[in-house]
Amino acid sequence: MRRTLTRLALLVLGAASLPACANGYDGDRRGHGNDRDSVNVQLGPRPFFLVEEMSDGPLKKRLQHCAARRDDYKPTLFSIGHRGAPLLFPEHTKESYEAAARTGAGIVECDVTFTKDKELVCRHAQNDLHTTTNILSTPLANKCIKPFTPAQFDAAGTLVAPAAAECRTSELTLAEFKTLRGKMDAFNPRGRTVAEYQAGTANWRTDIHAGPTSGTLLTLKEAIALFKKLGVKMTPELKSPSVAMPFDGFSQAAYAQKMIDEHKAAGVQPRDLWPQSFDINDVLYWVRNEPAYGRQAVYLDDANVVADLPTAEQLKAYRAAGIRIVAPPLFALLTADTSGNLLPSPYARDAKAAGLDIITWTLERSGILADGGNGFYFQTFDSAIKREGDVFRVLDVLAEQVGVLGVFSDWPATTSFYANCTGQK
């Protein structure tokens, strides 16, 4: 969910801006359609492990009480499957999406890009096939824009040049894309062979669900059909192309429209769809040209550090332009005081004051928390994170003090458990 964009587009909205109106989350946070509410949500042991890992206090007691008395956990829109459930399953695969639904995610994400023949498929980036699929070990490797080059070392064994490759969906037809298998997103920069390069999965993830007969890649149409069968709502993200647009006559506007059209053709109602983009022009396109679906369009914030975040005035301009929902990374919403308490950030207060709803990303993506140095997502409040169970402190402040609509997670069971136990819808 990361790309660089400019906010200068807001400077020219002026009279073209749409009038402000009520917040866009439609309030229907229960009904999922189909038979989803009858599905037996299976959380597995991790949420319960995390509860026991918490420091003693009222929240721990509340969650322990819930864990002891409940066995009827339900899907929840508060829990959003980020790329499916990629803590344990290859991202954007059938198996990952099914795991997200089974662990209680009420909304699941398909990141959308396109193939050489302009068909929409689910991949986190147009140019990530070399790290998320087995392409380098197939004959299709010869279609990669940058073939695999092995790592180079000097006589002392010091790495001189890391292994590298780049393979794009836009270099493959849909038929070719469908022959690939998803794997855990990882690479080994010290790899001397393709096999070594395609290894590198973090030790807090697993390759156990990434075998040669799993990792099923999906088109957007197939993902929509699967999501409808699972009874989950949908949050497709229009990914920034790696190729120049228009691509063989396929414009950015046509790309943005096609993503909506495929949901419309499948009968997906506007209330069940949260289209996303890091490009404000995509979001404004939906607001203006597909107002029913644009009502829940999500503007993703690509800030890398606090200094990159929009000001209060910029947030007000988003709302005036018709944008109703923003989705910044976790660090944008939280801060910590000297006593180790987690608090809403200035950005969180400014966004709410501007009349914007908030979704955030991404939980369960930072590995072991207790060892400190938890990186990008925790950068503004890492000093307050001491235990694995602190993930529930994070969720509690996001839900009760910031008031987020939902939280993307790489393992939705954790967020689903919290939501079920605290009354989040």
Side-chain angles (χ1 to χ4, degrees):
M1 274 199 182
R2 305 278 297 283
R3 69 177 287 264
T4 301
L5 58 88
T6 176
R7 296 190 175 94
L8 293 178
L10 288 171
L11 299 178
V12 298
L13 291 172
S17 298
L18 300 179
C21 46
N23 286 351
Y25 201 65
D26 74 352
D28 177 13
R29 302 182 68 172
R30 293 170 294 172
H32 292 257
N34 300 327
D35 298 318
R36 182 66 176 97
D37 287 343
S38 65
V39 171
N40 180 26
V41 171
Q42 304 167 34
L43 298 182
R46 180 163 176 77
F48 308 97
F49 161 79
L50 292 173
V51 171
E52 295 308 312
E53 276 284 300
M54 296 177 70
S55 298
D56 291 338
L59 181 59
K60 181 175 182 177
K61 288 182 180 179
R62 183 181 184 185
L63 296 179
Q64 284 178 320
H65 178 69
C66 175
R69 68 180 175 83
R70 290 201 63 162
D71 59 4
D72 60 340
Y73 301 99
K74 302 295 184 183
T76 164
L77 301 189
F78 186 80
S79 181
I80 307 172
H82 178 242
R83 314 185 197 181
L87 181 67
L88 298 181
F89 290 82
E91 64 184 45
H92 294 306
T93 61
K94 175 178 179 287
E95 294 80 4
S96 190
Y97 293 152
E98 289 173 337
R102 287 169 180 156
T103 52
I107 306 173
V108 180
E109 177 187 51
C110 165
D111 288 332
V112 177
T113 188
F114 57 84
T115 60
K116 183 177 182 179
D117 41 359
K118 299 184 280 292
E119 295 294 332
L120 302 187
V121 296
C122 298
R123 286 289 89 200
H124 177 64
Q126 191 168 59
N127 64 338
D128 72 1
L129 295 180
H130 51 290
T131 64
T132 66
T133 76
N134 64 340
I135 188 170
L136 292 177
S137 58
T138 76
L140 292 174
N142 63 17
K143 295 202 170 187
C144 294
I145 190 169
K146 294 182 181 177
F148 171 70
T149 56
Q152 298 179 21
F153 301 84
D154 63 18
T158 302
L159 182 65
V160 175
E166 183 182 351
C167 306
R168 299 175 177 176
T169 61
S170 53
E171 295 158 352
L172 306 180
T173 64
L174 178 59
E176 291 169 333
F177 172 83
K178 289 287 290 178
T179 67
L180 301 177
R181 289 286 172 178
K183 74 176 193 68
M184 297 301 280
D185 183 15
F187 71 97
N188 175 11
R190 301 178 65 87
R192 299 174 188 265
T193 65
V194 165
E196 289 178 354
Y197 177 77
Q198 291 193 312
T201 301
N203 60 11
W204 43 270
R205 294 183 182 270
T206 179
D207 290 311
I208 197 70
H209 301 121
T213 59
S214 58
T216 309
L217 303 192
L218 298 177
T219 66
L220 176 59
K221 290 177 182 177
E222 290 170 334
I224 293 169
L226 176 63
F227 294 159
K228 292 183 72 175
K229 179 180 178 181
L230 295 170
V232 297
K233 300 191 180 188
M234 308 168 202
T235 183
E237 181 191 334
L238 196 74
K239 302 304 296 190
S240 177
S242 299
V243 295
M245 299 292 279
F247 174 75
D248 190 26
F250 190 46
S251 70
Q252 184 69 25
Y255 177 32
Q257 185 64 52
K258 186 169 184 175
M259 189 182 86
I260 299 298
D261 286 346
E262 292 201 359
H263 289 86
K264 291 169 71 174
V268 178
Q269 297 301 307
R271 67 177 178 271
D272 296 333
L273 193 72
W274 285 264
Q276 315 168 67
S277 180
F278 278 108
D279 188 335
I280 194 170
N281 294 307
D282 294 335
V283 179
L284 293 177
Y285 175 87
W286 295 321
V287 167
R288 293 166 179 164
N289 296 282
E290 288 287 353
Y293 291 91
R295 184 178 177 84
Q296 293 190 152
V298 180
Y299 181 27
L300 297 159
D301 196 298
D302 70 334
N304 287 304
V305 294
V306 171
D308 295 338
L309 292 169
T311 65
E313 290 305 310
Q314 287 174 311
L315 291 169
K316 290 176 184 177
Y318 295 170
R319 188 65 190 85
I323 296 170
R324 298 165 179 266
I325 307 174
V326 291
L330 288 171
F331 79 80
L333 299 177
L334 299 178
T335 187
D337 64 18
T338 55
S339 299
N341 298 306
L342 297 176
L343 304 167
S345 69
Y347 171 98
R349 294 193 296 270
D350 289 342
K352 298 303 285 189
L356 292 164
D357 284 326
I358 303 170
I359 294 170
T360 191
W361 46 280
T362 303
L363 208 67
E364 296 279 41
R365 196 166 178 81
S366 299
I368 304 300
L369 300 182
D371 59 4
N374 294 305
F376 175 78
Y377 297 102
F378 288 72
Q379 61 185 277
T380 55
F381 57 95
D382 210 358
S383 61
I385 303 301
K386 306 297 183 184
R387 309 175 64 89
E388 302 311 305
D390 283 339
V391 67
F392 285 126
R393 292 176 55 218
V394 171
L395 281 171
D396 199 53
V397 176
L398 290 172
E400 300 298 333
Q401 297 186 49
V402 176
V404 300
L405 297 178
V407 179
F408 281 94
S409 179
D410 276 14
W411 192 241
T414 301
T415 311
S416 301
F417 171 80
Y418 171 83
N420 271 265
C421 291
T422 59
Q424 308 299 319
K425 301 298 184 182

